[in-house]
Amino acid sequence: MEDEKRIEKAAYVLKAVAHPLRIKIVLMLQEHKEMNVSAIYKNLNAEQSLISHHLINMRDKGILEIRRSGKNIYYFLVDDSVANVIDCIYQSKILA
């Protein structure tokens, strides 16, 4: 029964990052450790509202967390394992 719950949670996490922009955000945060919204949207060349939507979605699902510093909100990965899974897929023969 415990394995079933873990499998369901894994599927939930994978669905939560199953979008090209979300994958880019996760990989960027893995590299930079934490970033604010404006740095993220500038690096991705996307609209701030769209990036904010994805960040909030991933935060709500427990993939990202925030740190406040003055007026800035910095996003960071709760756990690098999500980025590690994406790295594995990215480097696999599946994408070759």
Side-chain angles (χ1 to χ4, degrees), residues 75-92:
Y75 285 85
F76 60 91
L77 293 170
V78 170
D79 187 329
D80 276 345
S81 62
V82 173
N84 294 338
V85 169
I86 292 169
D87 279 338
C88 286
I89 294 167
Y90 192 75
Q91 296 176 25
S92 75

Side-chain angles (χ1 to χ4, degrees), residues 2 14-15 27 40 46 50 56 58 68 73 76 86 89 93:
E2 185 64 31
L14 290 171
K15 285 180 194 176
L27 294 176
I40 294 170
L50 179 62
I56 291 167
M58 288 191 289
R68 294 181 188 273
I73 297 176
F76 60 91
I86 292 169
I89 294 167
K93 291 180 182 179

Side-chain angles (χ1 to χ4, degrees), residues 4 8 12-14 18 25-26 37 44 47 49-51 54 59 64 67 69 74 79 85 89:
E4 190 65 32
E8 287 180 25
Y12 179 81
V13 170
L14 290 171
I25 291 168
V26 168
V37 178
L44 295 178
E47 291 189 30
S49 60
L50 179 62
I51 296 300
H54 287 300
R59 183 177 177 218
L64 304 180
R67 177 183 67 83
S69 178
Y74 293 89
D79 187 329
V85 169
I89 294 167

Side-chain angles (χ1 to χ4, degrees), residues 1 6 20 29 41 49 51 53 65 67 72 75 82 92:
M1 201 57 147
R6 291 177 66 95
L29 290 174
Y41 84 81
S49 60
I51 296 300
H53 168 76
E65 195 48 73
R67 177 183 67 83
N72 288 311
Y75 285 85
V82 173
S92 75

